[in-house]
């Protein structure tokens, strides 16, 4: 973005969301079919192109109910399911299960760094990885699947190891490659260099999937797009393992502010976050970004009366609302804002003093607009 306005992207990214896969496999998190259907439907209404749901490694997948609920809500064409890759026979069993569930889009998870490949495949040899990827992709294409293949821990995979692997996958007929920043590792400028190596491959279609342990998932995703990546993977609220994932709300609002991208209906984002946090059993746990209860909350009168000086996007754009939240820093201006038209019926100076005294007495509970209005109904000024 420049002083003249947003920097338009020649090819704006397409968005996939992994809430029902990556977030669903966060320790202690288990979404139910009803949550899966609600989340998937809202994601598609927002403008997300693919909803990634579930993980399959063989028959009788534990994620079958999630996959089927998502298919029912948004159709298999708008869904993608991850298949674990360990060896040729295991891949065949996973593909059998994917066919049974009606999956159309699959995403292969294949470790590419030496650390992950040795740990999960018992071999870190580059030629072995390439042969495994070619075999898995060929099997899937023969059955008619749309195939994305990943570089699990790709951010820590050296160029001389990663590029030949990606070339082998596209040569076998894969439709897309996902670079998984499984362990947050790269700066945005390093991400640009890594993605530029991949987008230079003839016929390549590249997706970035970042984790947010360093707080750089959105920045790295935008850097990847700048280097030619066509897809970004995110999750609602950034919920996920290892510090979470690129948070969808921050990503879409960043695209709006920085690049003037108005393709998405952002009004569903706050509801999405609430459903995902509830379904994940996280209650109203703290999260960053524009969809939280505290995102547009203020305790300075000037912020409430002049919000455009403090906001690049209005609360309403993402389905949120501007709010007052205060404990001890009460002023008559804050109280007057909370009461709005009803302020004319209350002695605001006297009420503010009375409310401040009650706050101290009651242990300084959090006040918002509604609780101030309720307190005004209880207020009885002391006779002179």
């Amino acid at each position: 973005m420049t002083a003249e306005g947003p920097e338009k992207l020649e090819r704006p990214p397409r968005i996939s969301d992994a809430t029902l896969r990556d977030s669903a496999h966060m320790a202690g998190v288990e979404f139910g079919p009803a949550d899966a259907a609600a989340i998937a439907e809202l994601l598609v209404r927002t403008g997300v192109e693919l909803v990634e749901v579930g993980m399959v490694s063989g028959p009788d997948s534990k994620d079958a109910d999630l996959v089927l609920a998502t298919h029912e809500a948004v159709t298999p064409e708008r869904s993608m399911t991850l298949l674990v890759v360990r060896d040729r026979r295991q891949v065949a069993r996973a593909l059998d299960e994917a066919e049974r569930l009606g999956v159309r889009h699959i995403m292969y998870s294949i470790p590419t760094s030496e650390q992950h490949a040795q740990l999960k495949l018992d071999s870190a040899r580059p030629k072995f990885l390439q042969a495994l990827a070619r075999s898995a992709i060929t099997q899937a294409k023969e059955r008619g699947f749309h195939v994305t293949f990943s570089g699990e821990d790709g951010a820590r995979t050296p160029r001389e190891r990663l590029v030949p692997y990606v070339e082998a996958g596209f040569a076998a007929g894969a439709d897309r490659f996902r670079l998984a920043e499984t362990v947050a590792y790269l700066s945005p400028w390093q991400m640009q260099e890594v993605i530029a190596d991949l987008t230079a491959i003839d016929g390549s279609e590249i997706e970035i999937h970042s984790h947010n342990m360093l707080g750089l998932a959105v920045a790295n995703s935008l850097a990847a797009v700048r280097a030619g990546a066509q897809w970004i993977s995110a999750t609602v609220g950034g919920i996920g393992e290892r510090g979470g994932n690129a948070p969808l709300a921050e990503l879409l609002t960043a695209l709006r502010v920085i690049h003037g991208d108005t393709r998405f209906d952002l009004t569903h984002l706050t509801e999405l976050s609430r459903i995902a946090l509830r379904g994940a059993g996280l209650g109203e746990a703290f999260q960053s970004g524009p969809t939280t209860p505290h995102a547009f909350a203020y305790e300075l009168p000037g912020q409430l009366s002049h919000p455009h000086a403090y906001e690049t996007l209005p609360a309403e754009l993402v389905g949120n609302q501007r709010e007052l939240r205060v404990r001890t820093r009460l002023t008559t201006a804050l109280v007057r804002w909370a009461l709005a038209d009803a302020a004319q019926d209350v002695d605001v100076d006297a009420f503010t003093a009375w409310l401040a005294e009650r706050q101290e007495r009651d242990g300084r509970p959090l006040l918002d607009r509604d609780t101030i209005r309720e307190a005004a109904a209880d207020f009885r000024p002391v006779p002179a």
Side-chain angles (χ1 to χ4, degrees):
M1 184 165 61
T2 66
E4 288 73 34
E7 177 187 354
K8 297 289 186 179
L9 293 168
E10 289 185 15
R11 184 164 55 178
R14 299 156 83 176
I15 307 297
S16 67
D17 183 276
T19 304
L20 299 175
R21 196 273 300 175
D22 207 316
S23 304
H25 291 94
M26 181 179 173
V29 174
E30 295 182 8
F31 288 109
D35 289 320
I39 290 169
E41 184 177 357
L42 284 171
L43 285 170
V44 169
R45 287 168 62 185
T46 298
V48 168
E49 192 156 339
L50 274 178
V51 178
E52 188 178 343
V53 55
M55 182 184 299
V56 171
S57 59
D60 302 318
S61 168
K62 294 181 180 179
D63 289 339
D65 289 344
L66 285 187
V67 173
L68 294 174
T70 302
H71 287 180
E72 180 69 22
V74 299
T75 78
E77 285 69 28
R78 299 298 294 270
S79 309
M80 178 170 68
T81 296
L82 183 145
L83 270 62
V84 176
V85 174
R86 293 296 178 261
D87 58 53
R88 184 180 177 86
R89 288 198 299 174
Q90 179 267 319
V91 167
R93 293 193 298 270
L95 289 171
D96 288 343
E97 178 72 352
E99 285 186 328
R100 184 183 75 83
L101 295 173
V103 173
R104 298 287 183 269
H105 296 256
I106 65 167
M107 202 279 286
Y108 279 133
S109 177
I110 306 175
T112 55
S113 70
E114 290 189 32
Q115 300 97 313
H116 277 237
Q118 188 65 49
L119 176 67
K120 299 179 180 180
L121 303 175
D122 201 29
S123 175
R125 292 185 297 112
K127 288 186 177 180
F128 173 75
L129 287 180
Q130 294 170 30
L132 183 61
R134 282 194 296 263
S135 173
I137 291 165
T138 300
Q139 288 186 67
K141 295 305 293 184
E142 287 174 349
R143 300 195 193 202
F145 288 101
H146 182 283
V147 179
T148 297
F149 71 114
S150 80
E152 186 180 349
D153 201 23
R156 292 193 299 180
T157 304
R159 181 187 187 281
E160 61 272 16
R161 182 183 179 89
L162 182 63
V163 171
Y165 166 80
V166 177
E167 290 174 332
F170 281 118
D175 299 283
R176 181 160 73 250
F177 172 73
R178 171 186 285 180
L179 180 76
E181 194 182 16
T182 307
V183 178
Y185 184 69
L186 299 176
S187 66
W189 48 95
Q190 291 169 321
M191 180 64 76
Q192 277 192 249
E193 292 181 1
V194 171
I195 295 296
D197 286 337
L198 304 180
T199 56
I201 298 171
D202 287 343
S204 64
E205 184 174 298
I206 306 299
E207 178 173 5
I208 178 62
H209 175 87
S210 283
H211 280 257
N212 204 34
M213 187 64 77
L214 305 180
L216 292 173
V218 170
N220 280 350
S221 298
L222 295 180
V225 170
R226 194 175 185 86
Q230 294 102 317
W231 288 79
I232 299 174
S233 169
T235 66
V236 177
I239 302 170
E241 301 173 292
R242 294 175 303 282
N245 299 91
L248 181 69
E250 287 92 316
L251 174 65
L252 297 188
T253 51
L255 286 170
R256 172 73 70 101
V257 171
I258 296 170
H259 294 296
D261 189 344
T262 59
R263 293 173 297 152
F264 302 97
D265 183 353
L266 307 183
T267 61
H268 305 297
L269 291 175
T270 296
E271 185 179 1
L272 264 169
S273 290
R274 289 171 180 158
I275 293 173
L277 284 167
R278 182 195 66 204
L282 298 175
E284 291 189 357
F286 176 82
Q287 56 173 328
S288 61
T291 62
T292 64
H294 52 263
F296 294 92
Y298 306 112
E299 64 179 15
L300 296 177
Q303 293 170 327
L304 289 163
S305 56
H306 303 286
H308 297 301
Y310 300 92
E311 300 170 3
T312 57
L313 294 168
E316 297 77 15
L317 186 64
V318 296
N320 209 338
Q321 62 181 8
R322 197 167 291 108
E323 185 54 272
L324 177 158
R325 287 175 180 255
V326 64
R327 295 183 186 275
T328 61
R329 298 187 182 97
L330 278 168
T331 65
T332 55
L334 283 177
V335 170
R336 188 170 285 108
W337 183 89
L339 297 178
D341 293 340
Q344 60 190 8
D345 301 321
V346 178
D347 183 334
V348 174
D349 290 333
F351 171 59
T352 301
W354 174 86
L355 185 57
E357 182 178 330
R358 193 181 78 168
Q359 282 292 98
E360 288 295 322
R361 184 190 68 219
D362 293 348
R364 304 176 182 179
L366 185 66
L367 293 173
D368 60 17
R369 176 167 32 192
D370 290 338
T371 54
I372 290 176
R373 290 178 178 179
E374 291 168 5
D378 297 333
F379 171 62
R380 293 291 184 274
V382 178

